[in-house]
């Protein structure tokens, strides 16, 4: 039901913006990026991650930032971009700083593919 999820996040995005809910906006962008990656729409995914990432950083949302970095890096891996590993390594460090060792390990597995 990926298409249903996309529709919901696309509807939610302008509502979050109108309300000034930056975290909601960033989360919607992140989830839309994940959906685009799953649909192999890599350019769309990259643009969405690039929009979500600075908002998560601005808000000091380390988990959102690390999650966006992993998704962005995974997308770049699909396009054979040499910078993919750097993003995933940044995510690993951030997950570790947050004490999220399980997420860090999953990101390491992605890095080693």
């Amino acid at each position: 039901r990926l298409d249903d999820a996309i529709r919901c996040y696309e509807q939610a995005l302008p509502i979050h913006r109108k309300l000034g809910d930056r975290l909601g906006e960033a989360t919607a962008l992140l989830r839309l990026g994940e959906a685009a990656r799953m649909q192999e729409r890599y350019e769309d995914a990259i643009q969405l991650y690039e929009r979500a990432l600075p908002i998560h950083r601005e808000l000091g949302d380390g988990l959102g930032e690390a999650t966006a970095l992993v998704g962005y890096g995974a997308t770049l891996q699909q396009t054979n971009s040499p910078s993919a590993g750097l993003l995933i390594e940044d995510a690993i460090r951030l997950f570790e700083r947050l004490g999220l060792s399980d997420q860090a390990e999953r990101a390491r597995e992605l890095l080693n593919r």
Side-chain angles (χ1 to χ4, degrees):
R1 301 191 37 160
L2 193 54
D3 289 334
D4 291 338
I6 291 169
R7 254 189 314 282
C8 288
Y9 283 116
E10 286 175 341
Q11 290 172 359
L13 188 57
I15 295 169
H16 289 299
R17 285 188 182 131
K18 183 177 181 179
L19 295 172
D21 177 9
R22 299 288 282 157
L23 182 57
E25 178 183 354
T27 300
L29 290 167
L30 176 64
R31 299 300 178 219
L32 286 167
E34 290 171 346
R37 181 168 46 94
M38 284 186 236
Q39 293 179 325
E40 298 180 358
R41 295 183 296 115
Y42 300 127
E43 289 304 315
D44 291 341
I46 289 167
Q47 290 177 4
L48 289 158
Y49 288 125
E50 286 176 345
R51 290 169 56 198
L53 192 54
I55 299 171
H56 285 295
R57 284 181 175 147
E58 168 191 320
L59 296 173
D61 176 20
L63 178 57
E65 179 181 351
T67 303
L69 286 166
V70 167
Y72 192 4
T75 303
L76 290 178
Q77 273 185 332
Q78 294 298 315
T79 65
N80 297 313
S81 172
S83 59
L86 298 174
L87 293 171
I88 297 170
E89 288 171 357
D90 286 347
I92 292 167
R93 282 190 292 277
L94 189 47
F95 281 135
E96 288 173 340
R97 232 183 358 256
L98 295 169
L100 301 170
S101 57
D102 289 347
Q103 287 92 330
E105 186 55 37
R106 281 195 291 277
R108 269 190 207 86
E109 291 169 7
L110 180 63
L111 187 61
N112 293 325
R113 286 187 198 163

